[in-house]
């Protein structure tokens, strides 16, 4: 079985993160952009890595990343990407769960994000986690001119949100348990 871990990104991982960014987003952020995120106390930047069971040395490969900005009482999700070879396995749900846990730790009250209008898998994931479409930004993605949907989840401060998060945790663990082992330190978080 593959072992996965979610940890805060370090400066030593930036070149691998930029390569994944290029693959997932077409080069959304530069190396300098990621380094600025690491320095910001209002930014949470996480890497999802995998280690194949047949590897002799522990040299994990980063296959996912996510970022959240804490803006007053808002969790602005700026990035959530999974390597194309690992999509559809529930790993995006795991990253989104980690961002929600971080938002609650920061005592944020709502979450927002933008997503391409034609990114149906991502839209489905976000809706599953309680996001609602509230608007559209014309030409939001400069590189392609594509529009973005604006999604909001205003439930973070509601008492039942914590229960929803616990339910999502169980569903995610059940989905991943046949393919992946979460590292012990992350198992308690996810």
């Amino acid at each position: 079985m593959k072992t996965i871990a979610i940890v805060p990104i370090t400066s030593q991982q930036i070149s691998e993160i930029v390569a994944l960014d290029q693959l997932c987003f077409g080069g959304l952020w530069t190396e300098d952009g990621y380094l600025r995120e690491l320095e910001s106390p209002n930014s949470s930047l996480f890497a999802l890595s995998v280690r194949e069971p047949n590897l002799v040395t522990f040299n994990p490969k980063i296959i996912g990343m996510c970022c959240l900005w804490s803006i007053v009482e808002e969790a602005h999700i700026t990035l959530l990407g999974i390597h194309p070879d690992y999509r559809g396995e529930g790993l995006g749900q795991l990253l989104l769960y980690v961002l929600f846990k971080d938002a609650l730790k920061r005592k944020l009250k709502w979450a927002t994000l933008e997503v391409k209008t034609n990114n149906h898998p991502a839209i489905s994931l976000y809706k599953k986690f309680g996001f609602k479409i509230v608007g559209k930004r014309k030409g939001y993605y400069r590189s392609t001119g594509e529009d973005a949907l604006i999604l909001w989840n205003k439930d973070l401060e509601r008492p039942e949100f914590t229960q929803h998060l616990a339910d999502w945790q169980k569903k995610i663990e059940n989905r991943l348990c046949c393919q992946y082992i979460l590292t012990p330190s992350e198992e308690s978080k996810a």
Side-chain angles (χ1 to χ4, degrees):
M1 232 188 269
K2 301 171 193 168
T3 303
I4 57 173
I6 299 175
V7 295
I9 291 173
T10 66
S11 58
Q12 293 79 22
Q13 297 169 312
I14 293 299
S15 62
E16 195 174 354
I17 289 295
V18 170
L20 184 60
D21 176 302
Q22 185 66 40
L23 192 61
C24 292
F25 309 116
L28 188 61
W29 288 356
T30 64
E31 186 173 313
D32 287 339
Y34 281 103
L35 289 171
R36 278 192 303 275
E37 291 302 316
L38 290 180
E39 295 170 3
S40 172
N42 297 321
S43 184
S44 296
L45 193 56
F46 297 99
L48 169 63
S49 61
V50 64
R51 183 175 62 110
E52 301 289 339
N54 58 351
L55 292 178
V56 176
T57 60
F58 186 78
N59 191 14
K61 172 184 174 185
I62 295 176
I63 60 165
M65 62 183 166
C66 59
C67 183
L68 171 148
W69 290 345
S70 174
I71 305 170
V72 187
E73 296 175 328
E74 172 189 317
H76 189 110
I77 297 172
T78 58
L79 290 174
L80 197 154
I82 300 290
H83 189 288
D85 292 346
Y86 293 87
R87 290 181 184 158
E89 297 180 9
L91 297 170
Q93 292 179 24
L94 179 61
L95 287 179
L96 189 53
Y97 170 83
V98 167
L99 289 175
F100 273 127
K101 291 289 283 187
D102 187 68
L104 290 179
K105 186 173 98 179
R106 290 175 176 265
K107 299 186 183 339
L108 303 177
K109 295 184 177 182
W110 56 83
T112 186
L113 58 86
E114 291 87 13
V115 61
K116 288 182 180 179
T117 56
N118 65 353
N119 190 344
H120 302 292
I123 294 167
S124 176
L125 168 66
Y126 299 137
K127 285 182 174 180
K128 187 184 300 185
F129 275 75
F131 282 92
K132 296 188 178 13
I133 298 170
V134 296
K136 185 185 282 190
R137 296 191 197 279
K138 293 279 188 193
Y140 181 76
Y141 295 97
R142 286 179 236 150
S143 62
T144 62
E146 291 178 78
D147 298 341
L149 295 175
I150 305 165
L151 280 73
W152 278 85
N153 182 325
K154 297 182 180 183
D155 293 339
L156 275 66
E157 67 180 338
R158 298 180 73 184
E160 59 269 16
F161 185 78
T162 304
Q163 183 57 50
H164 290 310
L165 206 54
D167 294 341
W168 289 328
Q169 176 186 359
K170 289 177 188 162
K171 288 177 185 175
I172 293 165
E173 287 173 351
N174 288 339
R175 180 160 185 201
L176 296 177
C177 73
C178 296
Q179 292 179 283
Y180 297 102
I181 299 170
L182 287 172
T183 58
S185 61
E186 296 306 314
E187 219 168 317
S188 61
K189 296 177 188 175

